[in-house]
Amino acid sequence: MIGPFTYEALPMRVVFGAGSLARLPDEVAALGLTRVLVLCSPEQEVTGKQVAAALGAKAAGVLPEARMHVPMEVARRAQELAAELGADGCVAVGGGSAIGLGKAIALEHGLPVIAVPTTYAGSEMTPVWGLTEGGQKRTGRDIRVLPKSVIYDPEMTLTLPAQMSATSGINAIAHAVEGLYAPDATPIVSLMAEEGVRALATALPRVVADGSDLEARGEAQYGAWLCGAVLAATTMSLHHKLCHTLGGTLDLPHAQTHTVVLPHALAYNEPAAPEAVTALSRALGGVPDPARALWELACRLDVPRSLAELGMREEDIPRIADLAVADPYANPRPVTRDGVEALLRAAWTGAPPPRSAPTVQPRLTERRSRT
Ligand code: NAD
C-alpha cells in the first residue's frame, strides 16, 4: 500500500552539463542581481577570481575564506563584507564549505545564493545551514538559505583529487541511505535516493581510475544532486548523528568520517529497514548485503576504512558513544549505548561491517533531528 505521506517540493533551479558555468551570467541576470560576492575556499582562490572575472562589473568582490563547518568568525566577516560592498547576492563556488558560507550570509541578510558545486557533498540542494562556535556546531533548516540556482558543470570537478572525489561521493551516498529509511521517506524521494546511489556507485570507480573522465564526473554530479535532494527532503538518523558528533567533538575530517562510518551504521540499521535494504541492493547491482558492498566500494576506491586512520584515539570511543545516545533522534532500529559502542569499535578498527542480524521491529524515538 502506498502512503500515507506528505511531500513538499522545494523551489530549485538546476542548470546541468559540461560547460554550463558559461550560463552563470544569465543566472545572475535572471535573479535581477547586479553586485554579487563570490565565495570560495583559500585553495580555490584562483577559480573564485576566474568566476568573478567572468561576471565583470556584476562581481562586487571575492572572499576566499570558506572553511569546513563554517566557523562563526568567518561567517561574521562574510556577512559584514557583503553589507559593506552592498552585495545583492552571492555566488558560492566550491564544496560544502563555500556553499555553507553563502548560506550563512543568506541567513543573516536574506541574500540569494547561486551555487557552483565542485565536490559531491550535496549541500547545494538543501535548506540546511551550519555554524560553528567554541567547538560546537549548530545546524538548522531555513528556506532562505536554499540556493536559488545551482550550476552543475562537471568540468568544475576535474581538479578534485581522487580521494576527495571518492569520499565526498560517499558522503552523498550516506544522505540517500538514511533517506531510504527515514520516518518521512516518500516514494518519489526514495526513487531519487536509489538512483543517486546507483549513479555514484557506478561513477566513483571510474572517476578514481581517471579523474579526467568527464562523462563519469557528470554521472557523479547527477548522483550528488539526487542525494543532496534526498537530504533536503528527509530526516537523517544514526549515521549522520555519529558523524556530526565525531566531527564536532574530535574535529575528524567530514567526508572521510562519513566514508568510514557509513557501512557500519547501515549494518546496524539493516535488520530494521528491509525496504531500504532492497532498494540499496538494487542500486548497488543486486548485492545481498548493501553494508558490506559499501565497505567493499571503499576498498576499491582506496579511501580510509578506519576511524583510527583518521586520527581518532581508541580511548575516545566511550565518550563519543555517550554523546551519540545522549539526545534521542529518529532511527529505524532502537539506538542502544552498547550497540553504538560496538559499531564505533568496528569502525575504529576498519574491519568489515558485521553481517545483518535478523529483522527487528522498527521503532522511532519521539524527538527527531533532521540534519
Ligand atoms: P569542502 O568544501 O570543505 O572542500 C574540501 C577541500 O577540497 C577544500 O580545500 C576545497 O577548496 C577543495 N576543493 C573543492 N572542490 C575542488 C575542486 N574541484 N578541485 C580542487 N579542490 C577542490 O568539502 P565538502 O566535503 O564538499 O564539504 C564539507 C562541508 O560541507 C562540511 O562542513 C559539511 O558539514 C558541509 N555539508 C553541508 C551539507 C548541508 O546540507 N548543509 C551537506 C553536505 C556537507
Side-chain angles (χ1 to χ4, degrees):
M1 189 175 73
I2 297 180
F5 60 80
T6 304
Y7 171 72
E8 189 181 343
L10 290 173
M12 295 295 303
R13 180 176 160 85
V14 169
V15 178
F16 193 99
S20 56
L21 182 66
R23 303 263 303 273
L24 178 60
D26 292 346
E27 291 303 297
V28 169
L31 287 167
L33 306 177
T34 55
R35 285 182 68 72
V36 296
L37 175 59
V38 178
L39 306 164
C40 59
S41 59
E43 298 82 6
Q44 287 177 288
E45 185 169 357
V46 172
T47 310
K49 286 186 169 158
Q50 281 165 353
V51 166
L55 288 173
K58 287 193 175 170
V62 179
L63 183 65
E65 293 184 22
R67 293 248 163 264
M68 190 83 84
H69 303 310
V70 196
M72 189 56 108
E73 63 277 13
V74 178
R76 288 220 178 90
R77 200 158 46 249
Q79 290 158 350
E80 283 162 18
L81 183 65
E84 255 169 61
L85 294 171
D88 56 6
C90 298
V91 173
V93 185
S97 298
I99 294 163
L101 190 55
K103 289 177 171 181
I105 296 176
L107 198 61
E108 180 75 12
H109 299 308
L111 299 189
V113 177
I114 299 176
V116 183
T118 65
T119 71
Y120 306 128
S123 174
E124 63 281 355
M125 295 309 294
T126 82
V128 178
W129 55 266
L131 284 169
T132 305
E133 193 168 25
Q136 290 286 326
K137 183 167 177 180
R138 283 185 299 128
T139 61
R141 284 179 181 246
D142 192 318
I143 195 68
R144 287 178 308 160
V145 311
L146 181 73
K148 298 278 183 280
S149 169
V150 179
I151 297 183
Y152 282 112
D153 183 346
E155 288 178 7
M156 297 297 288
T157 62
L158 290 174
T159 49
L160 189 65
Q163 170 139 155
M164 190 61 211
S165 298
T167 55
S168 78
I170 295 177
N171 182 190
I173 290 177
H175 308 329
V177 166
E178 295 229 294
L180 281 166
Y181 53 60
D184 42 9
T186 57
I188 190 166
V189 174
S190 295
L191 282 174
M192 292 161 81
E194 185 174 330
E195 174 66 353
V197 173
R198 186 209 58 74
L200 277 160
T202 309
L204 292 179
R206 292 169 60 204
V207 165
V208 166
D210 176 6
S212 67
D213 182 340
L214 199 57
E215 201 187 299
R217 291 280 191 188
E219 184 159 22
Q221 267 197 327
Y222 163 66
W225 165 17
L226 293 171
C227 293
V230 175
L231 172 62
T234 53
T235 299
M236 297 291 106
S237 298
L238 177 64
H239 168 78
H240 279 73
K241 174 77 179 179
L242 282 174
C243 293
H244 194 117
T245 308
L246 287 162
T249 313
L250 305 177
D251 203 25
L252 298 191
H254 180 82
Q256 291 91 326
T257 304
H258 274 269
T259 300
V260 171
V261 173
L262 182 61
H264 299 278
L266 176 57
Y268 184 89
N269 278 332
E270 272 183 353
E275 285 177 21
V277 171
T278 304
L280 289 167
S281 298
R282 275 194 305 260
L284 294 167
V287 298
D289 182 349
R292 179 69 179 226
L294 286 175
W295 186 84
E296 286 165 359
L297 177 66
C299 296
R300 265 210 317 286
L301 298 174
D302 197 22
V303 287
R305 256 109 54 215
S306 75
L307 292 172
E309 229 177 307
L310 303 185
M312 182 182 179
R313 297 172 315 160
E314 193 171 8
E315 54 267 36
D316 284 327
I317 292 175
R319 182 160 62 108
I320 297 297
D322 286 342
L323 287 170
V325 298
D327 192 13
Y329 45 91
N331 199 61
R333 184 176 170 189
V335 176
T336 63
R337 170 69 180 66
D338 287 352
V340 169
E341 178 157 347
L343 186 168
L344 285 169
R345 286 202 183 279
W348 188 83
T349 62
R355 300 273 177 205
S356 294
T359 302
V360 296
Q361 278 302 310
R363 193 194 78 186
L364 295 173
T365 46
E366 279 188 356
R367 271 190 57 200
R368 289 165 178 178
S369 146
R370 298 197 81 204
T371 54

